[in-house]
Amino acid sequence: AHYRSLSDFEVMHLNAAADRNHDHIHDGMGIATQHIAMTSEFELSMQSVSPAFSMPYWDVTYDASLVTQDKTAEIFTSSELFSDAYFGRTDSKVHTVTMGRFAFQEIPSNTSYSVRSPYGYLRAPWNINPVKYVTRYHTLCGDSPYSAMRFLELFPNEDLVNYQWPTCASHWKITFKDEYSSWFNWAWDIGYLPHGPVHAWMGGVGGQCDTWDDLVPIVGKTGVVGLKLGSFGLLKDAWRSEMLEVPHYCSSDAVDECKFKCKLNESGWDVFSPFLRMYGIELLRYTEEQRLEVVRT
């Protein structure tokens, strides 16, 4: 009675997280309670197959203790958790696991899903990854989250640059510091730190954003690194703010035609300027031609 397939849980999570107006289970106070509920339901589903099963717990602070912060990427090549016996190592060329039990794990695809990617995969609507396999980059547009964070250590937006892999110290802070003595403060922040950076390191962001380096002559190295660090949420936020649209449907044999549509003509600079300021880009400082280049890139 409790069994549900993996795709059932993927649909549940995606429908709640990828609404056009709001992420109902991450950006707010519901992340802890709702993820605990989903995890409990997943455990019950597994126990309907094997009653002795219990949900394993990944103590990410253990992995943090094995490496220094500048070597965080080694977790994905040296940790037993990412060996072939468990979740597998990522092939750096194809960005997917190619060995072990999860080798070439496919994403469910059906264009009838109510929430899906343009290719019909159970991915976010703003995700135009055409690859049918689970994809991991372990970088943000080609840059290590740690090296980018170090480059911008004086950057004014603290939330944007804090991609430190969670440690015992970061867990202690959110558990015992006075600033987290209320449920409101704790529940609001727990989804970001120390939890959030694990997603940035594990999945990361890839695709054509590695060409953002072409913007260095306009916005400088600091501006480009700021964009890369913000890339984890940039497209999502732009889509939710209706500054860009994604195709309703993309064909796997016409990948080059599957592109975002920037709504610059309808919105003007008044919308884009404050949005990009969050990522360290003062758009109005540049010429009209340079602004167009930044927004289109």
Side-chain angles (χ1 to χ4, degrees), residues 79-89 99:
S79 171
E80 182 183 10
L81 193 64
F82 294 96
S83 66
D84 293 346
Y86 292 95
F87 293 109
R89 294 188 176 92
M99 301 288 288

PDB file of all heavy atoms in Angstrom, residues 79-89 99:
ATOM      1  N   SER A  79      35.763   9.723  -2.260  1.00  0.00           N
ATOM      2  CA  SER A  79      34.829   9.251  -1.241  1.00  0.00           C
ATOM      3  C   SER A  79      34.211   7.912  -1.638  1.00  0.00           C
ATOM      4  O   SER A  79      33.851   7.692  -2.804  1.00  0.00           O
ATOM      5  CB  SER A  79      33.712  10.275  -1.029  1.00  0.00           C
ATOM      6  OG  SER A  79      32.696   9.747  -0.193  1.00  0.00           O
ATOM      7  N   GLU A  80      34.082   7.015  -0.667  1.00  0.00           N
ATOM      8  CA  GLU A  80      33.459   5.713  -0.918  1.00  0.00           C
ATOM      9  C   GLU A  80      32.029   5.874  -1.419  1.00  0.00           C
ATOM     10  O   GLU A  80      31.538   5.069  -2.214  1.00  0.00           O
ATOM     11  CB  GLU A  80      33.467   4.881   0.366  1.00  0.00           C
ATOM     12  CG  GLU A  80      32.883   3.484   0.189  1.00  0.00           C
ATOM     13  CD  GLU A  80      32.841   2.695   1.486  1.00  0.00           C
ATOM     14  OE1 GLU A  80      33.091   3.294   2.558  1.00  0.00           O
ATOM     15  OE2 GLU A  80      32.552   1.487   1.430  1.00  0.00           O
ATOM     16  N   LEU A  81      31.365   6.935  -0.974  1.00  0.00           N
ATOM     17  CA  LEU A  81      29.978   7.161  -1.371  1.00  0.00           C
ATOM     18  C   LEU A  81      29.844   7.335  -2.879  1.00  0.00           C
ATOM     19  O   LEU A  81      28.816   7.001  -3.470  1.00  0.00           O
ATOM     20  CB  LEU A  81      29.433   8.402  -0.653  1.00  0.00           C
ATOM     21  CG  LEU A  81      27.924   8.629  -0.710  1.00  0.00           C
ATOM     22  CD1 LEU A  81      27.177   7.509  -0.013  1.00  0.00           C
ATOM     23  CD2 LEU A  81      27.569   9.972  -0.089  1.00  0.00           C
ATOM     24  N   PHE A  82      30.910   7.843  -3.514  1.00  0.00           N
ATOM     25  CA  PHE A  82      30.869   8.058  -4.958  1.00  0.00           C
ATOM     26  C   PHE A  82      31.706   7.024  -5.714  1.00  0.00           C
ATOM     27  O   PHE A  82      32.189   7.283  -6.816  1.00  0.00           O
ATOM     28  CB  PHE A  82      31.314   9.485  -5.288  1.00  0.00           C
ATOM     29  CG  PHE A  82      30.356  10.519  -4.778  1.00  0.00           C
ATOM     30  CD1 PHE A  82      30.573  11.142  -3.562  1.00  0.00           C
ATOM     31  CD2 PHE A  82      29.204  10.820  -5.484  1.00  0.00           C
ATOM     32  CE1 PHE A  82      29.673  12.070  -3.066  1.00  0.00           C
ATOM     33  CE2 PHE A  82      28.297  11.743  -4.998  1.00  0.00           C
ATOM     34  CZ  PHE A  82      28.529  12.373  -3.782  1.00  0.00           C
ATOM     35  N   SER A  83      31.832   5.856  -5.113  1.00  0.00           N
ATOM     36  CA  SER A  83      32.482   4.738  -5.795  1.00  0.00           C
ATOM     37  C   SER A  83      31.430   3.985  -6.607  1.00  0.00           C
ATOM     38  O   SER A  83      30.224   4.234  -6.487  1.00  0.00           O
ATOM     39  CB  SER A  83      33.127   3.798  -4.773  1.00  0.00           C
ATOM     40  OG  SER A  83      32.125   3.164  -3.980  1.00  0.00           O
ATOM     41  N   ASP A  84      31.876   3.038  -7.418  1.00  0.00           N
ATOM     42  CA  ASP A  84      30.947   2.274  -8.255  1.00  0.00           C
ATOM     43  C   ASP A  84      29.953   1.470  -7.424  1.00  0.00           C
ATOM     44  O   ASP A  84      28.855   1.155  -7.887  1.00  0.00           O
ATOM     45  CB  ASP A  84      31.726   1.327  -9.173  1.00  0.00           C
ATOM     46  CG  ASP A  84      32.544   2.073 -10.215  1.00  0.00           C
ATOM     47  OD1 ASP A  84      32.298   3.281 -10.399  1.00  0.00           O
ATOM     48  OD2 ASP A  84      33.428   1.452 -10.833  1.00  0.00           O
ATOM     49  N   ALA A  85      30.327   1.147  -6.182  1.00  0.00           N
ATOM     50  CA  ALA A  85      29.448   0.346  -5.328  1.00  0.00           C
ATOM     51  C   ALA A  85      28.241   1.148  -4.844  1.00  0.00           C
ATOM     52  O   ALA A  85      27.225   0.566  -4.448  1.00  0.00           O
ATOM     53  CB  ALA A  85      30.229  -0.183  -4.127  1.00  0.00           C
ATOM     54  N   TYR A  86      28.354   2.482  -4.884  1.00  0.00           N
ATOM     55  CA  TYR A  86      27.257   3.310  -4.391  1.00  0.00           C
ATOM     56  C   TYR A  86      26.745   4.221  -5.513  1.00  0.00           C
ATOM     57  O   TYR A  86      26.077   3.768  -6.424  1.00  0.00           O
ATOM     58  CB  TYR A  86      27.705   4.098  -3.153  1.00  0.00           C
ATOM     59  CG  TYR A  86      27.957   3.186  -1.970  1.00  0.00           C
ATOM     60  CD1 TYR A  86      29.245   2.709  -1.688  1.00  0.00           C
ATOM     61  CD2 TYR A  86      26.915   2.765  -1.148  1.00  0.00           C
ATOM     62  CE1 TYR A  86      29.476   1.850  -0.620  1.00  0.00           C
ATOM     63  CE2 TYR A  86      27.130   1.910  -0.082  1.00  0.00           C
ATOM     64  CZ  TYR A  86      28.412   1.452   0.179  1.00  0.00           C
ATOM     65  OH  TYR A  86      28.631   0.596   1.223  1.00  0.00           O
ATOM     66  N   PHE A  87      27.057   5.511  -5.464  1.00  0.00           N
ATOM     67  CA  PHE A  87      26.456   6.432  -6.430  1.00  0.00           C
ATOM     68  C   PHE A  87      27.316   6.705  -7.652  1.00  0.00           C
ATOM     69  O   PHE A  87      26.881   7.397  -8.565  1.00  0.00           O
ATOM     70  CB  PHE A  87      26.094   7.751  -5.734  1.00  0.00           C
ATOM     71  CG  PHE A  87      24.993   7.592  -4.728  1.00  0.00           C
ATOM     72  CD1 PHE A  87      25.255   7.674  -3.372  1.00  0.00           C
ATOM     73  CD2 PHE A  87      23.695   7.326  -5.132  1.00  0.00           C
ATOM     74  CE1 PHE A  87      24.242   7.507  -2.436  1.00  0.00           C
ATOM     75  CE2 PHE A  87      22.675   7.159  -4.209  1.00  0.00           C
ATOM     76  CZ  PHE A  87      22.950   7.245  -2.853  1.00  0.00           C
ATOM     77  N   GLY A  88      28.517   6.188  -7.678  1.00  0.00           N
ATOM     78  CA  GLY A  88      29.335   6.284  -8.879  1.00  0.00           C
ATOM     79  C   GLY A  88      30.051   7.609  -9.053  1.00  0.00           C
ATOM     80  O   GLY A  88      29.643   8.634  -8.512  1.00  0.00           O
ATOM     81  N   ARG A  89      31.130   7.553  -9.827  1.00  0.00           N
ATOM     82  CA  ARG A  89      31.902   8.757 -10.126  1.00  0.00           C
ATOM     83  C   ARG A  89      31.465   9.341 -11.464  1.00  0.00           C
ATOM     84  O   ARG A  89      31.076   8.627 -12.374  1.00  0.00           O
ATOM     85  CB  ARG A  89      33.403   8.437 -10.153  1.00  0.00           C
ATOM     86  CG  ARG A  89      33.940   8.024  -8.793  1.00  0.00           C
ATOM     87  CD  ARG A  89      35.461   7.911  -8.790  1.00  0.00           C
ATOM     88  NE  ARG A  89      35.929   7.601  -7.437  1.00  0.00           N
ATOM     89  CZ  ARG A  89      36.124   6.383  -6.973  1.00  0.00           C
ATOM     90  NH1 ARG A  89      35.895   5.343  -7.765  1.00  0.00           N
ATOM     91  NH2 ARG A  89      36.538   6.185  -5.742  1.00  0.00           N
ATOM     92  N   MET A  99      29.870   4.088 -14.711  1.00  0.00           N
ATOM     93  CA  MET A  99      30.213   2.789 -14.138  1.00  0.00           C
ATOM     94  C   MET A  99      29.366   2.558 -12.888  1.00  0.00           C
ATOM     95  O   MET A  99      28.943   3.496 -12.221  1.00  0.00           O
ATOM     96  CB  MET A  99      31.703   2.735 -13.767  1.00  0.00           C
ATOM     97  CG  MET A  99      32.664   2.974 -14.928  1.00  0.00           C
ATOM     98  SD  MET A  99      32.724   1.599 -16.092  1.00  0.00           S
ATOM     99  CE  MET A  99      33.612   0.391 -15.097  1.00  0.00           C
TER     100      MET A  99
END
